[in-house]
Amino acid sequence: MIRSLLNTPLASFYLVLVSAGLLIALGMMMVLSASSVYAYVNTDDSYYFVKRQMMFCGLGLVFAVVLARSSVRRLRSLSWVGLFLAVGLLVLTYLPGLHANVNGNQNWLSIGGQRIGQPSEFAKIAMILWGADILARKERLLDQPKHLLVPFLPVSLLLILLVVFQGDMGTAMIMIGILAGILWAVGTPLRILVAMAGLAAAATAVMTISRPSRLRRLMAFLNPTHDVQGTNMQATVGVFALATGGWWGVGLGASRQKWGSLPEAHTDYIFAVIGEELGLFGALAVLALLLVLGYAGIRIALRSDELFTRLLATGITTWFMFQSLVNLAVVLRMLPVLGVPLPMLSYGGSALTANIMALGLLIACARNEPQARELLATRRRRPQPRMTTVVGSRRG
């Protein structure tokens, strides 16, 4: 039965829609639970953060519907616009009076002292969309390294460097992962990928050593028992929250760690609150939904008959899966703290809006699968039944 359902033309469409919809709904519920105490203490409104999250979710859905219903030609025409907007917004964060420092990172736009957005989240979309378009245009030349790497690699590195110099190492790592995923999907030789991985590792080491706060986090990761009340507190409390959840959790809304023990409970460490309140069952449900979304993205990429949609689906799927893996590894203390949110679940207006927009693009790719495209075209051509009204009849 499952196989027959997966063979239907719109199976990929529904897999993305259902899994992402459940993740977003669960995220709303957990943001409310994880942020209520912090919101009440700081704003006198326990619903402050969830109301903002719902507002940005609505905004993202508007953009997602437009993108999902757009043709491939329209999406490709938007790629250059998105790239220039992303570069422009990132550059604005370097101008005095237009940036805000958050946890030591200069990665927010600010107007009148109010933070209005994190451009690096939208830079991920721009890099994927523009990269898919430029590589698709050069499809017949991709066997030549100069055409394979130029201009995609230099422009992508420009976006990544703009994020790096903001101090946002976590987001830069996610963008490097997206870049590697797209290059791998387009058939980049292994020796080039290995060389790029070596350079990325060396650059990460330099960035870590160059900033004392990053070095302290690395040392804390290597020595879990050191400074448990300071540098190691967040990682320690996160693991403790997961451990106290047990099989079924302490109950929705009953987290103890969100009462001040766990910093960033509603953002980077929301998975710890999920594990504490919903237990192993809830944590595994999140993993299952993420895996379904990842499977749907890979399925769309494999079934696409155009290079553009194949690379677009690959880039978005790589983004969601790699960022989720990094976030979960941090919460499970398998990586140092990096400040990377869990897609569709963590609180963050810019992040959620960008995530939902990316889902719109992925749905557009699903609608462009050969069988789905044929089915949708048939539905559009099918004549609509006309409504007739019988006024009356008279028998002779």
Side-chain angles (χ1 to χ4, degrees), residues 12 15 73 95 125 130 147 165 196 231 239 248 253 256 271 287-289 293 302 308 325 333 338-340 375 377:
S12 301
L15 284 172
R73 179 178 298 179
L95 300 180
I125 298 180
W130 178 81
H147 289 289
F165 291 131
M196 290 176 57
T231 309
V239 172
W248 304 105
R256 299 178 181 89
F271 185 72
L287 295 179
L289 290 173
L293 181 59
L302 292 176
F308 171 76
L325 180 63
R333 208 185 177 92
L338 291 171
V340 173
L375 175 64

Side-chain angles (χ1 to χ4, degrees), residues 29-144:
M29 181 175 67
M30 295 312 303
V31 165
L32 172 60
S33 175
S35 68
S36 57
V37 175
Y38 180 79
Y40 183 77
V41 170
N42 290 273
T43 68
D44 292 329
D45 181 4
S46 297
Y47 301 97
Y48 175 79
F49 291 106
V50 74
K51 286 191 292 188
R52 287 178 59 85
Q53 190 81 335
M54 292 176 67
M55 178 184 69
F56 284 109
C57 178
L59 179 64
L61 286 173
V62 172
F63 286 117
V65 169
V66 174
L67 292 172
R69 299 181 67 85
S70 298
S71 64
V72 170
R73 179 178 298 179
R74 180 178 297 176
L75 292 177
R76 296 184 69 166
S77 66
L78 290 173
S79 62
W80 283 95
V81 177
L83 177 65
F84 286 123
L85 282 175
V87 173
L89 290 173
L90 287 173
V91 169
L92 287 178
T93 62
Y94 290 88
L95 300 180
L98 290 178
H99 68 266
N101 289 313
V102 179
N103 296 327
N105 296 336
Q106 185 181 311
N107 56 350
W108 281 85
L109 275 177
S110 174
I111 295 180
Q114 297 293 321
R115 290 182 292 173
I116 62 172
Q118 196 172 0
S120 57
E121 293 295 332
F122 301 101
K124 298 173 187 175
I125 298 180
M127 186 175 76
I128 295 170
L129 187 60
W130 178 81
D133 177 56
I134 202 68
L135 290 171
R137 292 179 186 275
K138 305 176 74 172
E139 182 174 3
R140 297 182 180 181
L141 303 173
L142 294 180
D143 57 336
Q144 304 175 40

